[in-house]
């Protein structure tokens, strides 16, 4: 916290000191999403490669000096972060890229990258002595907030759209949240949560509006960079809904660049599903972002009105990256591939990053010589109903050896 200077509006670029406790820009209103600004020159003196070598904290709080949280409360939280970065052997050769890394965010405490934002939300609420937190979510932000809040003895009120997958819904009920299931889509859930948060003065965990949350999400980029000895790959591939995740990934690499810890910021590939791709449409047409339908199995990125458009568009633009849309079919195929070749079970929105990479290779937006990191943002067990669409359920056999031998023959297995 000591290196935080203040907020800057991503729209009008006006600066506000941190003491003001703002959510969005007082001049621009809701579209004026704020960015937290740091004193990099001062931070540089303390946050060096040496500092990380000596740092024994393994969770995301390892990076608290580069964040906007107070140090005192961090010890009690769930252990978020420190997820593995795998070097791919099998998948890389199948999709024809020389160097591929897979960041498995499904291994966070509530099984998605959202924990990095929720951990911060919980701390910020406690700093303000607030005991109830609220958000609207397609699922993961909800279960993540509920879990992280439960750990700290706080209450949560969660607004979910009607279509929220049962795995995610079940999870957040077990964390003791008050669940408001809204008869409508994500846009409707978001709208109602906004009215309710205003009315009840709950702490707002809607990630786009709350500038501290992207600061949590950026720790995934810090980890990737450290895991690669501060030599990140040419590309990092991220699936995009509201745009907070990709904005966080950019901010993380930007911080490290400003601190002189990395030489270049990776190009970011933002991936959306064809059934809901407002960012890709805007990128390809050159027109302003337009509201889209939410027609995809990748529920976590089914966001018809993205809430963090400026930061997300800037992240791709400033990193010299690109946008890609993929079919649900390719997303499901990518889930199968990830499971079969790397032992990672991803939810659809998480496998969308692999689908985006496959598509980008096809169009040669990413070349064979490029090194690539894909971020797998959430675990496949969260939505087994959709996952079952991509595989065949096995037949039930009599407990009898000859029946087994016959069955395995049909699978190409010989009994010698
Ligand atoms: C939320 C989420 C995303 C997208 O993050 P945004 O900030 O909405 O762009 C991608 N994958 C998973 C699994 C998510 O939960
Ligand atoms: Zn402004």
């Amino acid at each position: 916290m000591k290196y935080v200077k203040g907020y800057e509006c991503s729209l009008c670029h006006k600066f506000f000191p941190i003491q003001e406790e703002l959510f969005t820009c007082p001049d621009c209103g809701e579209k004026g999403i704020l960015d937290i600004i740091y004193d990099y020159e001062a931070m540089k003196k303390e946050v060096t490669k040496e500092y990380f070598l000596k740092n024994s904290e393994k969770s995301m709080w390892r990076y608290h000096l580069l964040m906007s949280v107070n140090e005192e409360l961090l010890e009690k939280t769930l252990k978020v972060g420190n997820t593995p970065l795998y070097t791919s052997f099998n998948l890389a050769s199948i999709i024809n890229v020389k160097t591929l890394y897979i960041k498995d965010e499904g291994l966070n405490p509530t099984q998605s990258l959202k924990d990095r934002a929720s951990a911060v939300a919980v701390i910020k609420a406690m700093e303000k002595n607030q005991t109830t937190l609220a958000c609207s979510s397609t699922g993961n932000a909800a279960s993540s907030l509920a879990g992280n809040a439960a750990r700290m003895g706080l209450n949560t009120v969660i607004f979910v759209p009607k279509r929220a997958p049962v795995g995610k819904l079940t999870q957040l009920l077990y964390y003791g949240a008050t669940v408001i299931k809204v008869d409508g889509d994500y846009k409707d859930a978001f709208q109602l949560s906004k009215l309710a948060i205003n009315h009840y003065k709950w702490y707002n965990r809607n990630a786009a509006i709350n500038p501290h949350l992207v600061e949590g999400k950026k720790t995934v980029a810090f980890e990737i960079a450290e895991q690669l000895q501060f030599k990140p790959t040419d590309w990092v591939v991220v699936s995009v809904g509201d745009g907070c995740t990709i904005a966080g990934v950019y901010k993380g690499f930007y911080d490290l660049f400003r601190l002189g810890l990395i030489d270049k910021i990776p190009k970011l590939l933002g991936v959306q599903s064809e059934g809901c791709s407002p960012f890709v449409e805007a990128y390809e047409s050159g027109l302003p972002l337009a509201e889209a339908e939410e027609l995809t199995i990748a529920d976590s990125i089914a966001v018809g009105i993205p809430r963090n458009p400026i930061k997300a568009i800037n992240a791709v633009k400033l990193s010299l990256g690109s946008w890609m849309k993929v079919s649900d079919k390719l997303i499901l195929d990518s889930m199968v591939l990830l499971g079969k070749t790397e032992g990672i079970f991803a939810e659809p929105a998480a496998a969308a990053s692999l689908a985006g990479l496959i598509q980008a290779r096809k169009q040669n937006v990413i070349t064979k010589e490029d090194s690539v990191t894909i971020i797998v943002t959430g675990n496949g067990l969260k939505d087994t109903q959709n996952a079952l669409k991509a595989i065949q359920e096995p037949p039930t056999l009599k407990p009898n050896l000859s029946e087994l031998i016959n069955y395995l023959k049909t699978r190409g297995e010989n009994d010698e």
Side-chain angles (χ1 to χ4, degrees), residues 326-378:
V326 295
S327 65
D328 276 5
K329 165 86 172 58
L330 187 57
I331 289 175
L332 285 169
D333 290 349
S334 299
M335 284 173 66
V336 174
L337 253 182
L338 255 182
K340 200 160 72 177
T341 64
E342 299 290 349
I344 296 171
F345 184 26
E347 68 164 275
S353 59
L354 173 58
L357 170 57
I358 291 172
Q359 191 79 7
R361 280 293 295 117
K362 235 181 246 164
Q363 300 177 10
N364 227 28
V365 170
I366 295 180
T367 71
K368 182 181 190 319
E369 302 307 315
D370 288 331
S371 58
V372 184
T373 302
I374 57 173
I375 302 181
V376 171
T377 42

Side-chain angles (χ1 to χ4, degrees), residues 9 11-14 25 27-28 32:
C9 173
L11 211 56
C12 72
H13 299 287
K14 202 171 281 171
C25 173
D27 295 350
C28 300

